[in-house]
């Protein structure tokens, strides 16, 4: 005879109603067996109403709506531009809510540091959703490579065609993404793979390429080096993701993954585990701050060189 699980669901509110919230976060939260989607907040009342209705929860809007959603939630997930996300994450932590944030946490070091410090002060759990750290296929590959010694070098390319001629992606309408480019949008993904496998970055060199493309050369604490190419404006035929490590045991390439919604469910599981155990996840707000520090340094170098 088995004992029924009496653990109450984790009440997670969603801040944001854009394409990322509609296509990934709201469906994942609403379908998760250990979660109650406690509400959806949006700056536009009609968008919040539509998304909340689609997933059987309550809509919130306005400043008073933020406070009401935080009061109704154990945790909040963010589907907002990074520099909108950061101050709201500080506010949520102060209200005692655990944090499930999108990457990057912020596009300024000061903004990301405020989030990390707020989470620590309030003793709330935090997870930053770097997709490849939570998709089952890629997270297993990262753990496997991190357990192997003797890596010599690595190569990562993450090239999207979001801003290529003829692109009709709804994500291209994001002002922050157009302003900050591939370095800030997809750079966290690449770094979140390379750091656990090769060690932290102890030296970084950055240079601008065509359009929004940025090239990085990294030296890691293991002694290995890596090169990274990031961009959102590649021709469609040139777009794609490749991450490869080379060392004493040969070459290993990251596998494909099922999609963002499955990965996001993994991030929800990671947050729930951190809440339950009190053990910080490796991709927490402090790691999000470190990613912001690296990206800000790379941006400064690339602009100076350009």
């Amino acid at each position: 005879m088995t004992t029924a699980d009496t653990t109450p669901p984790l009440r997670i509110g969603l801040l944001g109603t854009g394409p990322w919230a509609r296509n990934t976060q709201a469906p994942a939260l609403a379908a998760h067996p250990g979660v109650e989607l406690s509400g959806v907040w949006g700056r536009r009342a009609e968008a919040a109403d539509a998304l909340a209705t689609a997933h059987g929860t309550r809509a919130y809007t306005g400043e008073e709506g933020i406070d009401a959603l935080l009061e109704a939630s154990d945790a909040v997930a963010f589907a907002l531009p990074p520099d909108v996300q950061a101050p709201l994450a500080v506010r949520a932590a102060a209200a005692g809510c655990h944090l499930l944030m999108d990457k990057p946490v912020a596009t300024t070091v000061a903004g990301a540091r405020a989030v990390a410090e707020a989470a620590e002060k309030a003793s709330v759990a935090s997870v930053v959703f770097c997709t490849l750290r939570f998709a089952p296929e890629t997270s297993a590959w990262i753990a496997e490579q991190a357990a192997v010694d003797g890596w010599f070098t690595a190569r990562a390319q993450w090239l999207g065609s979001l801003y290529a001629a003829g692109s009709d992606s709804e994500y291209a309408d994001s002002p922050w993404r157009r302003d900050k480019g591939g370095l800030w949008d997809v750079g966290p993904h690449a770094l979140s793979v390379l750091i656990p496998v090769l060690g932290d970055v102890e030296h970084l060199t950055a240079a601008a390429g065509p359009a929004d493309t940025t090239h990085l050369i990294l030296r890691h604490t293991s002694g290995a080096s890596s090169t990274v190419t990031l961009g959102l404006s590649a021709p469609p035929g040139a777009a794609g993701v490749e991450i490869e490590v080379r060392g004493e045991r040969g070459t290993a390439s990251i596998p494909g993954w099922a999609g963002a919604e499955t990965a996001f469910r993994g991030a929800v599981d990671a947050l729930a585990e951190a809440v339950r155990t009190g053990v910080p996840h490796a991709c927490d707000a402090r790691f999000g701050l470190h990613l912001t520090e690296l990206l800000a340094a790379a941006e400064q170098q690339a602009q100076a060189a350009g």
Side-chain angles (χ1 to χ4, degrees), residues 79-128:
L80 296 167
D83 294 326
V84 176
Q85 169 180 248
L88 287 178
V90 171
R91 184 170 166 180
C97 290
H98 306 289
L99 308 174
L100 180 48
M101 294 172 286
D102 202 6
K103 53 75 214 161
V105 170
T107 64
T108 67
V109 173
R113 181 176 293 115
V115 174
E117 291 177 350
E120 290 176 3
K121 181 179 180 180
S123 297
V124 297
S126 59
V127 165
V128 179

Side-chain angles (χ1 to χ4, degrees), residues 180-268:
K180 304 301 282 187
L183 174 66
W184 286 91
D185 187 28
V186 298
H189 293 311
L191 291 170
S192 76
V193 173
L194 295 173
I195 289 172
V197 175
L198 303 181
D200 202 1
V201 176
E202 61 180 17
H203 186 268
L204 177 153
T205 302
D212 75 310
T213 305
T214 303
H215 302 282
L216 308 179
I217 301 173
L218 310 176
R219 185 173 69 233
H220 298 266
T221 52
S222 66
S225 64
S226 63
T227 60
V228 185
T229 300
L230 308 162
L232 299 175
S233 304
V241 177
E242 297 178 7
I243 302 178
E244 175 188 85
V245 290
R246 291 175 174 264
E248 295 172 358
R249 302 193 187 188
T251 302
S253 298
I254 200 164
W257 61 96
E261 186 177 336
T262 299
F264 190 74
R265 287 199 297 269
V268 174

Side-chain angles (χ1 to χ4, degrees), residues 153-164:
T153 192
R155 175 181 60 85
Q157 289 193 150
W158 195 303
L159 292 171
S161 56
L162 206 62
Y163 300 121

Side-chain angles (χ1 to χ4, degrees), residues 54-68:
H55 296 285
T57 190
R58 181 178 174 183
Y60 297 84
T61 194
E63 282 294 309
E64 68 285 354
I66 296 173
D67 292 329

